[in-house]
Amino acid sequence: MVKLTSFIICLCLLLFVSAPAAAGEKIKVAVIEKLAQRYKLLLSENEGDVTNISEVTGENSTRGLVQLVIIKQALYKGGLDVDFDFILTPNSTRSNALLRSGDAVISPHLGLIQSQPKETFLSSVVIESRTLTKGVYGLASNKALMEIKSIADLKPLTGVLQTSWSSDIKTLKKHDITQIDLVNKYHNIFTRIAHRGLDYTLLELSYNKELIRYSNKIQLHPVPNIVIKLEGTRHFFISKKHADGKRVFQALEKGLQIMKEEGTIQKYFKKIKVIRDDLEHFKVLNE
């Protein structure tokens, strides 16, 4: 009887050691609802596994989706094969609050060092400073804006940005541009320019031929052949308070390093035009 019991104990120990540490495991990830839906669709299109895909394409492709895939693949390459258990949030501010409290372990949001929430680990650099670019947008009838030639030409004009666009705000303030109104909602940018007399905003260049950006019936046009490079490196934040935080952080760092060496991260962002390599004829205003 003693021998049989010892054999069963040894067998159980052997099975425990042999089993994958992360088999069937899920980690809490804070995301907005639309992004969760996009990720589930991507899973269904790839037989439930995105660890080996090499690109995210189509109408479903967004920056947030790519960043979720990067997290998944980095964790996998770093030795942590896990699935996501989504906690739905309305925005990145709420997601950061869940990281601070330990209710979620990570979110796909990429932020600046200055916006790192308390009680979180900071990942290594995912996007380098001055890699992301934006156009200067306003009304086509605003001749003073459409004829700017330097960053100093923006100083007498009034800009409007979304409150959460910390990189944009930092970039303009670095050049002593302080006439900036801040709004909470994206559409308010368009209404302030169209109906309140504000001059410009910073927006990613549209993919339509004319590069025009729309919100409802309001059109904003870019200053021709001008871009601004955004200051600040971008990072993932990982909760220190969550029980899984430290090992998720360690696996993520290992995996991110591998993906950087492979060139995978740059490839993803270039494919969906987050990092642009087709703007050689544009002048960088803040150089």
Side-chain angles (χ1 to χ4, degrees):
M1 187 65 182
V2 173
K3 289 183 177 180
L4 179 61
T5 302
S6 299
F7 173 77
I8 291 172
I9 292 172
C10 289
L11 182 61
C12 289
L13 287 171
L14 179 62
L15 289 172
F16 175 77
V17 171
S18 301
E25 182 182 2
K26 291 187 176 183
I27 62 170
K28 297 285 186 181
V29 181
V31 297
I32 61 173
E33 185 173 359
K34 284 185 179 180
L35 180 51
Q37 292 170 352
R38 288 190 179 104
Y39 184 79
K40 289 173 183 177
L41 177 60
L42 185 66
L43 281 177
S44 68
E45 292 171 346
N46 292 276
E47 300 180 349
D49 184 14
V50 297
T51 54
N52 293 313
I53 65 172
S54 58
E55 61 181 32
V56 181
T57 58
E59 293 181 3
N60 192 38
S61 306
T62 64
R63 180 183 302 191
L65 183 62
V66 163
Q67 286 161 194
L68 268 177
V69 170
I70 290 172
I71 291 172
K72 169 70 175 178
Q73 293 186 346
L75 289 175
Y76 182 76
K77 291 175 183 289
L80 201 57
D81 187 9
V82 293
D83 293 322
F84 296 153
D85 183 9
F86 291 135
I87 302 176
L88 301 183
T89 68
N91 49 49
S92 60
T93 301
R94 178 60 183 155
S95 295
N96 284 343
L98 293 174
L99 298 182
R100 289 196 302 269
S101 65
D103 292 305
V105 67
I106 196 170
S107 87
H109 173 66
L110 283 174
L112 301 173
I113 294 175
Q114 297 92 319
S115 62
Q116 180 185 3
K118 294 180 180 179
E119 302 296 336
T120 61
F121 296 105
L122 183 76
S123 82
S124 55
V125 176
V126 180
I127 299 178
E128 296 286 349
S129 181
R130 296 176 62 82
T131 299
L132 303 178
T133 57
K134 283 191 173 183
V136 181
Y137 276 79
L139 298 178
S141 57
N142 188 336
K143 291 185 178 180
L145 175 66
M146 292 299 154
E147 294 176 357
I148 63 170
K149 303 298 181 185
S150 69
I151 193 77
D153 291 340
L154 288 178
K155 289 184 179 181
L157 305 178
T158 303
V160 55
L161 300 172
Q162 203 164 327
T163 307
S164 58
W165 294 357
S166 52
S167 182
D168 303 52
I169 297 167
K170 176 184 177 182
T171 300
L172 292 181
K173 287 189 173 180
K174 181 178 179 181
H175 295 276
D176 298 320
I177 296 170
T178 56
Q179 291 193 100
I180 307 169
D181 279 15
L182 300 178
V183 296
N184 291 321
K185 295 182 179 179
Y186 178 75
H187 177 66
N188 290 347
I189 291 173
F190 288 73
T191 57
R192 292 285 180 96
I193 292 175
H195 305 302
R196 300 282 186 88
L198 275 64
D199 294 295
Y200 70 93
T201 188
L202 304 183
L203 298 173
E204 293 174 2
L205 291 172
S206 173
Y207 305 136
N208 61 53
K209 187 177 180 181
E210 297 79 14
L211 305 178
I212 300 170
R213 299 302 298 261
Y214 300 86
S215 182
N216 292 339
K217 295 182 179 181
I218 301 173
Q219 295 183 11
L220 296 184
H221 295 248
V223 177
N225 301 318
I226 290 290
V227 290
I228 284 181
K229 289 188 175 182
L230 300 182
E231 302 287 345
T233 54
R234 307 297 179 99
H235 308 256
F236 290 119
F237 306 132
I238 305 94
S239 176
K240 286 183 177 180
K241 283 199 169 183
H242 195 285
D244 295 327
K246 188 173 183 180
R247 65 196 187 97
V248 166
F249 170 64
Q250 291 172 337
L252 184 73
E253 284 298 279
K254 184 177 179 180
L256 286 176
Q257 184 60 39
I258 294 170
M259 293 180 76
K260 288 176 194 174
E261 291 171 357
E262 295 172 341
T264 311
I265 295 174
Q266 281 253 341
K267 179 183 174 182
Y268 275 135
F269 285 128
K270 285 183 177 180
K271 187 69 177 180
I272 63 169
K273 303 292 187 181
V274 167
I275 296 176
R276 303 290 294 263
D277 54 5
D278 57 346
L279 304 175
E280 295 88 353
H281 61 292
F282 280 66
K283 177 183 178 180
V284 178
L285 209 60
N286 56 331
E287 276 192 345

